[in-house]
């Protein structure tokens, strides 16, 4: 899957949330979520939108912060779903999810945390790279 060795059945079938989260290899989980699509994964995993905001470091894109139910991942965690700031060769933007501590209360704060910045610093970015 885009350069990552994955089980044949991931390519040939659709994995559900339970099978994805039971996969011990994080790269294979990432590929399975990518194949499913973040929009569907968020719905199927019953994630709750905690906050969303325009991404100041990635104009035209939206940051979405979700609470992850304990039935999906038995840890207190949130997921920030964002688009890559770099356009891919095919003209698309790659969507990805990052686990975020629950003390990040806003989507901007979560994005800032991933860069080691304060929310204010991130909100003043012209372009993330």
């Amino acid at each position: 899957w885009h350069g990552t060795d994955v089980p044949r059945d991931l390519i040939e079938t659709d994995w559900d949330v339970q099978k994805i989260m039971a996969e011990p290899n994080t790269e294979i989980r990432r590929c399975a979520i990518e194949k499913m699509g973040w929009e569907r994964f968020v719905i199927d995993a019953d994630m709750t939108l905690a906050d969303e905001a325009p991404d100041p470091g990635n104009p035209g894109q939206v940051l979405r912060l979700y609470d992850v139910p304990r039935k999906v991942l038995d840890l207190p965690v949130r997921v920030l779903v964002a688009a890559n700031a770099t356009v891919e060769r095919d003209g698309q933007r790659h969507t990805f999810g990052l686990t975020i501590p629950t003390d990040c209360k806003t989507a901007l704060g979560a994005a800032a945390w991933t860069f080691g910045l304060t929310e204010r610093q991130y909100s003043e970015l012209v372009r993330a790279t």
Side-chain angles (χ1 to χ4, degrees):
W1 183 262
H2 304 285
T4 301
D5 289 334
V6 299
R8 177 179 293 261
D9 73 317
L10 172 57
I11 301 300
E12 295 175 346
T13 64
D14 291 327
W15 284 12
D16 62 14
V17 170
Q18 291 73 29
K19 184 161 184 161
I20 290 171
M21 295 312 295
E23 170 56 51
N25 182 299
T26 58
E27 280 300 300
I28 294 173
R29 276 197 315 269
R30 177 191 58 77
C31 292
I33 294 169
E34 185 178 291
K35 182 177 183 253
M36 177 184 272
W38 273 100
E39 287 182 24
R40 183 171 151 216
F41 183 79
V42 163
I43 291 166
D44 288 1
D46 294 324
M47 292 186 183
T48 303
L49 182 65
D51 189 46
E52 68 180 0
D55 188 346
N58 195 1
Q61 304 303 310
V62 177
L63 300 166
R64 290 184 176 86
L65 183 63
Y66 293 93
D67 289 319
V68 179
R70 289 288 180 108
K71 70 180 182 180
V72 174
L73 189 61
D74 194 24
L75 299 169
V77 70
R78 288 183 151 180
V79 169
L80 176 68
V81 177
N84 194 348
T86 305
V87 177
E88 302 295 327
R89 284 184 250 159
D90 65 1
Q92 301 295 313
R93 290 185 186 270
H94 177 74
T95 300
F96 58 94
L98 301 168
T99 54
I100 303 293
T102 57
D103 61 349
C104 289
K105 302 299 181 198
T106 66
L108 281 176
W113 178 85
T114 68
F115 286 95
L117 301 172
T118 66
E119 187 170 335
R120 181 177 177 171
Q121 289 170 323
Y122 189 83
S123 69
E124 294 172 353
L125 283 178
V126 174
R127 186 81 174 153
T129 57

